Amino acid sequence: MRIGELAARAGTTTRTLRYYESRGLLPARRSGNGYRTYDDNDLKMLRQIRTLQDFGFDLEETRPFVECLRAGHPEGDSCPASLQVYRRKLDELDALIGELRAVRATVGRQLERAEAAREALAADASVPGGPEPVCELGGGAR
């Protein structure tokens, strides 16, 4: 198949395919008239790349999966190098999840502090002569 058909079948653009070719992820076979030609194995490699990218893998991280398919394995993740990429990605995700949990805890503490301060202002406002609560965003009395 030609580049336009492969792009359409894979749901991508010819520009993307040429980029993958320049990075060595898709073969650069040419027909006698100079057109790029692809087969179903190339479509399988492209789908592997796209699926991994949808999961957050960068393009270079897809290389072991493509090489595994090129080596004739039925799946791109059946080789040791692919499994190692999965392990690294899981470690990376675990670290990010830890960071997000820490940020969430900080934001939760800030919310608790802000709510307590707001309640204290509201309580002071109910006392005659107490301060009138002011909205920090709008600047007007509430």
Side-chain angles (χ1 to χ4, degrees), residues 2-130:
R2 291 185 24 196
I3 193 168
E5 182 182 352
L6 178 63
R9 288 178 65 185
T12 191
T13 64
T14 58
R15 182 177 183 195
T16 298
L17 297 184
R18 287 190 299 271
Y19 178 69
Y20 291 168
E21 181 184 309
S22 74
R23 299 292 305 268
L25 293 169
L26 282 178
R29 293 185 304 271
R30 301 276 182 162
S31 64
N33 59 9
Y35 290 123
R36 290 174 173 90
T37 61
Y38 301 95
D39 59 25
D40 287 334
N41 289 329
D42 299 320
L43 179 60
K44 188 173 185 175
M45 281 188 276
L46 183 56
R47 286 184 175 150
Q48 178 78 77
I49 292 167
R50 306 280 297 165
T51 298
L52 291 168
Q53 286 194 302
D54 288 347
F55 292 157
F57 288 68
D58 67 36
L59 193 57
E60 198 55 38
E61 289 173 317
T62 69
R63 189 172 300 281
F65 297 85
V66 170
E67 290 171 357
C68 190
L69 287 170
R70 279 191 186 145
H73 295 275
E75 300 296 329
D77 59 6
S78 58
C79 295
S82 303
L83 298 175
Q84 185 58 38
V85 172
Y86 276 151
R87 287 184 193 98
R88 270 196 316 265
K89 183 56 79 173
L90 285 174
D91 289 345
E92 182 182 309
L93 290 169
D94 288 341
L96 289 171
I97 289 167
E99 290 174 26
L100 286 172
R101 283 188 176 131
V103 168
R104 187 187 190 293
T106 300
V107 170
R109 287 190 300 274
Q110 286 295 103
L111 175 60
E112 289 174 8
R113 183 206 50 81
E115 287 175 338
R118 185 171 187 275
E119 288 173 13
L121 280 175
D124 287 346
S126 65
V127 174

